[in-house]
Amino acid sequence: MSCFECCIKCLGGVPYASLVATILCFSGVALFCGCGHVALTGTVSLLEAHFSTVTSSHALLTDVVQMMQYVIYGIASFFFLYGIILLAEGFYTTSAVKELHSEFKTTICGRCISGLFVFLTYILGVAWLGVFGFSAVPVFLFYNMWSTCTAMKSPVANITNIDSICVDVRQYGIIPWNATPGKACGSTLEEICNTNEFYLSYHLYIVACAGAGATVIALLIYMMATTYNFAVLKFKSREDCCTKF
C-alpha cells in the first residue's frame, strides 16, 4: 500500500460530522460562557450605578449573578471534556461502520456506551434549547431600552416632554419594587444608553445568545451522527448473530 493510499484510508476513518460538531460546540460554548460572564458583570454595575443605589435592594440579584457565573465555569469545563469524549466516540463508531464487511467486531459494551452517548446528547440538546431561550431574555430587555433611547433621539418622534419617557426595570422582576430609583427617565436614560457598559453588555448578550444557538446546532449534529452510527452497529450485531446459526 502506497503512502497516498494510506492517507486516503486514514482520512476515510475521520468522523467529519463529529469533528464539525466539536468545533462548533467549542466555539458556541466559549462565546456563551465568555460573553455571558462579562455581560452579567456589566449588568450588575449598570444596575448599581443607575437603578438600585442601595446595596441591600439588589443583594439577591448579586448572589444570583455570582452563582450563574460559577455555573458558567462548570458548563465550560464539562463541555470541553464532553466534546473530546464525543469526538473520540465518533472515531470509534466511524471506524466500526467503515469496516462493516471486514473482520472488525463490536462488543456489547461498546454498543451500550454508544447508546448512552446518544441518550445524553439528546438530554443536553433539550437542555440547551432552554438555555438558548433563557439567553434571549436579556437581549430582549436591552433591546427595549435601546429602542426607547433611539426613539427619543429620532427627530420624527416629535416628543414634547422628554422626561415623560422612562424605563422601569422593576417591572421585569430584576430588582425589587422598593429599589430606588428603580427607573430612568429623559436625559438620565439617554446618558445610560450612551455609556460603554450599556453597549458592551448589550452586544455581549447578543453574542452569548448566538453562542447558545451554535451549541444547540452542534448537539443536533452530534445526535444525528451518533444515532446513525449506533443504528448501523446495532444492525450489524444482529446480522452477526444470525450468521452464527
Side-chain angles (χ1 to χ4, degrees):
M1 182 182 294
S2 64
C3 181
F4 177 75
E5 292 176 347
C6 183
C7 292
I8 294 298
K9 184 177 180 181
C10 292
L11 291 176
V14 175
Y16 292 103
S18 297
L19 185 62
V20 171
T22 301
I23 296 174
L24 190 61
C25 181
F26 283 175
S27 302
V29 172
L31 289 175
F32 174 78
C33 294
C35 296
H37 186 279
V38 178
L40 287 172
T41 303
T43 302
V44 172
S45 301
L46 197 67
L47 291 173
E48 290 177 346
H50 302 284
F51 294 98
S52 181
T53 56
V54 181
T55 306
S56 59
S57 299
H58 58 270
L60 179 61
L61 176 65
T62 303
D63 294 337
V64 171
V65 168
Q66 290 179 352
M67 182 184 67
M68 292 177 65
Q69 289 175 336
Y70 285 124
V71 171
I72 285 175
Y73 297 147
I75 290 174
S77 302
F78 172 78
F79 270 91
F80 177 76
L81 295 175
Y82 191 71
I84 293 177
I85 293 173
L86 280 182
L87 183 61
E89 194 268 344
F91 273 99
Y92 163 74
T93 52
T94 300
S95 299
V97 171
K98 293 292 184 181
E99 301 185 26
L100 283 177
H101 301 289
S102 66
E103 296 300 324
F104 189 93
K105 300 295 182 181
T106 60
T107 62
I108 297 177
C109 181
R111 293 193 295 272
C112 291
I113 292 175
S114 297
L116 178 63
F117 281 126
V118 172
F119 175 75
L120 288 178
T121 306
Y122 177 81
I123 297 299
L124 290 174
V126 174
W128 267 97
L129 282 174
V131 173
F132 176 67
F134 178 77
S135 63
V137 174
V139 176
F140 172 74
L141 299 181
F142 272 80
Y143 174 77
N144 283 343
M145 187 179 296
W146 174 80
S147 61
T148 303
C149 295
T150 304
M152 288 193 302
K153 297 177 183 178
S154 176
V156 184
N158 192 19
I159 301 173
T160 57
N161 186 12
I162 194 175
D163 292 330
S164 62
I165 300 178
C166 301
V167 171
D168 193 345
V169 297
R170 294 173 297 185
Q171 64 181 341
Y172 301 115
I174 301 175
I175 55 178
W177 283 102
N178 59 356
T180 56
K183 63 180 180 179
C185 302
S187 58
T188 304
L189 178 60
E190 190 173 355
E191 290 176 2
I192 295 174
C193 292
N194 291 330
T195 58
N196 293 328
E197 289 180 346
F198 175 81
Y199 273 100
L200 180 62
S201 298
Y202 180 35
H203 290 91
L204 286 177
Y205 277 127
I206 295 175
V207 177
C209 184
T215 306
V216 172
I217 296 175
L219 290 172
L220 288 175
I221 297 175
Y222 273 136
M223 279 190 287
M224 289 186 290
T226 54
T227 303
Y228 170 77
N229 289 333
F230 174 74
V232 174
L233 292 177
K234 190 174 181 181
F235 175 78
K236 178 61 179 176
S237 65
R238 291 180 178 178
E239 186 180 71
D240 292 338
C241 292
C242 293
T243 55
K244 290 180 181 178
F245 297 99

